[in-house]
Amino acid sequence: AQSVTQLDSQVPVFEEAPVELRCNYSSSVSVYLFWYVQYPNQGLQLLLKYLSGSTLVKGINGFEAEFNKSQTSFHLRKPSVHISDTAEYFCAVSEVDKIIFGKGTRLHILP
Amino acid sequence: DARVTQTPRDKVTEMGQEVTMRCQPILGHNTVFWYRQTMMQGLELLAYFRNRAPLDDSGMPKDRFSAEMPDATLATLKIQPSEPRDSAVYFCASGLGNSGSAQFFGPGTRLTVL
């Protein structure tokens, strides 16, 4: 079975600073990977997904993620965060007909 | 702008009462998922359907929970009888069900069982 590990449960970062949220997956076969964001009191929203092709995937709100097969990682990055990026971020991997989610990383933006 | 809708958005009930949550998936999506989210357990997959047929409900407590899709535009999750430990946010999501397809989430139903 596929699994996803999000290494940090919380990440504090100052406004306008860069951020990286880490994600590792377990699979030796082709994978499809996702990042979702959950703003307070809302459902999960798709940020970006990797299916194939370029290892650098650009998503909404200025986020991007890099697929690294050798390190089985799919880290999420943003060069400059804004207070509105305060949310929980979930890394996920596709397994047949469902998606396996990580436990989430809370991003705290400090003024 | 197609989106998943869920009703009610908030539900407060007393222990022992029946609770029914409803979900309308995005038109054209053939796979529907039910999740539960709590602070302690995080996001848990309860059950999912394809073309209205249940594929997996192993994440669901069988004795009190039931999930159905009466038609392609409605999915229901019922708890009977409800217990305080069922307090959580319940999300419905829909998708195309292919490997690599994204899921699209509704806004959730916040359930509080007193």
Side-chain angles (χ1 to χ4, degrees):
Chain A
Q2 306 268 25
S3 68
V4 166
T5 302
Q6 292 185 247
L7 298 164
D8 305 297
S9 59
Q10 296 190 61
V11 172
V13 61
F14 286 104
E15 196 169 11
E16 298 184 10
V19 68
E20 178 180 84
L21 305 183
R22 297 180 293 169
C23 172
N24 286 90
Y25 63 92
S26 70
S27 175
S28 59
V29 298
S30 297
V31 291
Y32 305 116
L33 295 158
F34 307 84
W35 275 99
Y36 281 80
V37 60
Q38 185 178 27
Y39 298 106
N41 299 313
Q42 294 186 28
L44 278 70
Q45 178 182 349
L46 181 67
L47 260 183
L48 51 81
K49 64 180 179 181
Y50 171 79
L51 301 182
S52 64
S54 173
T55 57
L56 186 64
V57 182
K58 293 191 183 297
I60 61 172
N61 301 340
F63 283 92
E64 62 182 30
E66 185 162 17
F67 171 66
N68 188 319
K69 187 175 181 179
S70 62
Q71 297 188 5
T72 61
S73 68
F74 190 54
H75 301 332
L76 182 70
R77 302 184 182 105
K78 186 169 182 177
S80 175
V81 296
H82 188 266
I83 194 74
S84 59
D85 294 321
T86 297
E88 188 157 20
Y89 293 79
F90 293 88
C91 182
V93 63
S94 180
E95 179 175 272
V96 190
D97 51 7
K98 61 179 188 267
I99 293 177
I100 308 300
F101 288 89
K103 293 190 179 300
T105 298
R106 288 191 180 276
L107 180 60
H108 294 282
I109 309 299
L110 307 171
Chain B
D1 180 27
R3 56 184 65 195
V4 176
T5 59
Q6 290 186 246
T7 56
R9 292 295 311 275
D10 282 280
K11 177 72 176 179
V12 180
T13 190
E14 293 188 347
M15 184 173 62
Q17 296 298 305
E18 177 178 300
V19 175
T20 298
M21 291 169 271
R22 293 177 175 80
C23 166
Q24 182 172 19
I26 291 172
L27 190 64
H29 283 184
N30 65 350
T31 309
V32 175
F33 304 82
W34 281 106
Y35 292 88
R36 175 171 65 182
Q37 186 178 41
T38 61
M39 289 293 292
M40 294 299 294
Q41 300 297 327
L43 194 64
E44 303 173 275
L45 177 63
L46 298 176
Y48 63 105
F49 294 75
R50 171 164 301 153
N51 297 324
R52 298 175 54 199
L55 284 190
D56 187 350
D57 62 1
S58 58
M60 211 162 62
K62 298 292 190 299
D63 54 340
R64 299 181 299 107
F65 284 58
S66 62
E68 296 179 342
M69 280 201 74
D71 62 61
T73 64
L74 177 64
T76 62
L77 179 66
K78 188 175 296 185
I79 308 174
Q80 167 64 10
S82 57
E83 297 181 1
R85 59 180 167 152
D86 301 329
S87 297
V89 181
Y90 291 81
F91 289 105
C92 174
S94 71
L96 294 174
N98 304 319
S99 188
S101 295
Q103 294 177 16
F104 296 86
F105 282 72
T109 294
R110 181 176 299 276
L111 174 65
T112 304
V113 183
L114 304 174

